[in-house]
Amino acid sequence: MTKKKQDIRALSKEALRDFFINHGHQAFRGNQVYEWLWQKSAHSFEDMTSLSKDTRAMLETHFVINHIKVDQMQRSNDGTIKNAIKLHDNLVVESVLIPTETRTTACVSSQVGCSLDCHFCATARLKRMRNLNPDEIYDQVVAIDQQSRLYHKRKLSNIVYMGMGEPLLNYKNVLASIEKITSKEGLGMSPKRITVSTVGIPKMIVKLADDGVKFNLAVSLHSAIDEVRSKLMPINEKSNLAELLASLQYWYEKTNKIITFEYVVWEGINDTKKDAVALVKFCKKVPSKVNLIEYNAIDDGEFQQANPEAIQMYVNTLEAHNIVVNVRRSRGKDIDAACGQLANKTA
Ligand code: SAH
């Protein structure tokens, strides 16, 4: 019977060094392999040209490299690129490259499917199959960095964990991926350029604060009124706005980082003055800013984007209380690459 080969990227640098020592080699070979795996993002042992043929063959008998594969790439007429990413077990997630004048942002997935049931989101209709491993998240970033260099002639500048899945329900692997992305032995990116977006799970937000993370936090709020939010996002029935707020205040106390609220205004759901005033009140309780995101229709119309007057009413109400607000236009809509549209649909 053949022994199942181990995923080499699940090993720490120390474990790799130990492996070489135990197989009669010098420990520094472990460092070399680690560098090939992470900094140079090697797809196969054959690529590791600084190792002898025998060493590569030995690695081959013990390990596999479960690299992701960009299975299909779609380019939007606004420069956005959507990738269908095939994982080693043939499951598929999506990652998006979003270019602006000055930046290229990678939007990465953290889970295959999603277990939350936000009624306006296309990913919610996919069953949650599994969590992504740290290397599978890391690979998405590397793939998009390469596309950014190729198509936009510059390196990746920002990363948002706003693809498929709920990052805080894959806590350990998401943090491990960020550790790799920010470490000098990985991509050496600053955590200030990374944003993790969550539906808002208070217990996990407290944990982030306690763990002293250095990246930014965005919360999908969509309403500051419990009854309204619970109808949109069932998670709000488990932990309401008061609990969410307490965890965010704790986050700010510990990290000193202001929170971004993501918010879609829908016709007949949260488009009145009362809704905007509730949002102002909520924002006043914790240092924060608001991104008003355009709604991307996912079906026949239970939800509809509010009219421009309602959006302007929100902007005016927030600004009158000195709360920073940005209106975010959708990107990549023509290829179903925009927020909430990721559902493994291909052309
Ligand atoms: N689970 C995390 C990460 C997904 S981020 C989270 O909920 O924050 C995706 C962002 O797009 C979230 O802010 C989500 O609320 C928003 N979104 C989901 N469906 C959308 C849609 N159809 N149109 C616009 N935004 C949507």
Side-chain angles (χ1 to χ4, degrees), residues 58-86:
M58 178 191 64
L59 289 171
E60 195 88 55
T61 61
H62 286 86
F63 300 110
V64 284
I65 304 176
N66 285 333
H67 218 280
I68 63 159
K69 223 173 80 208
V70 176
D71 205 35
Q72 205 194 23
M73 188 186 113
Q74 287 171 270
R75 290 176 74 187
S76 159
N77 47 31
D78 68 13
T80 301
I81 298 175
K82 181 169 87 165
N83 298 293
I85 302 283
K86 192 168 265 170

Side-chain angles (χ1 to χ4, degrees), residues 228-263:
V228 179
R229 191 166 193 263
S230 293
K231 275 197 200 128
L232 296 166
M233 307 168 73
I235 183 84
N236 197 68
E237 281 163 31
K238 281 196 204 138
S239 45
N240 64 16
L241 287 163
E243 285 172 66
L244 176 60
L245 179 64
S247 72
L248 295 175
Q249 287 166 333
Y250 185 77
W251 158 274
Y252 184 75
E253 234 172 72
K254 287 258 167 167
T255 66
N256 225 13
K257 280 182 163 300
I258 79 160
I259 294 138
T260 303
F261 291 125
E262 296 158 276
Y263 200 105

Side-chain angles (χ1 to χ4, degrees), residues 114 116 118 120-122 161-167 197-200 218-222 233 262-264 266 293-298 330 338-341:
C114 190
L116 301 165
C118 304
F120 46 82
C121 179
Y161 282 66
M162 295 187 187
M164 293 174 157
E166 168 51 43
S197 175
T198 174
V199 287
V219 175
S220 301
L221 193 63
H222 303 307
M233 307 168 73
E262 296 158 276
Y263 200 105
V264 176
W266 287 284
I293 350 178
E294 201 179 323
Y295 175 59
N296 302 305
I298 57 164
S330 274
C339 298
Q341 290 188 312

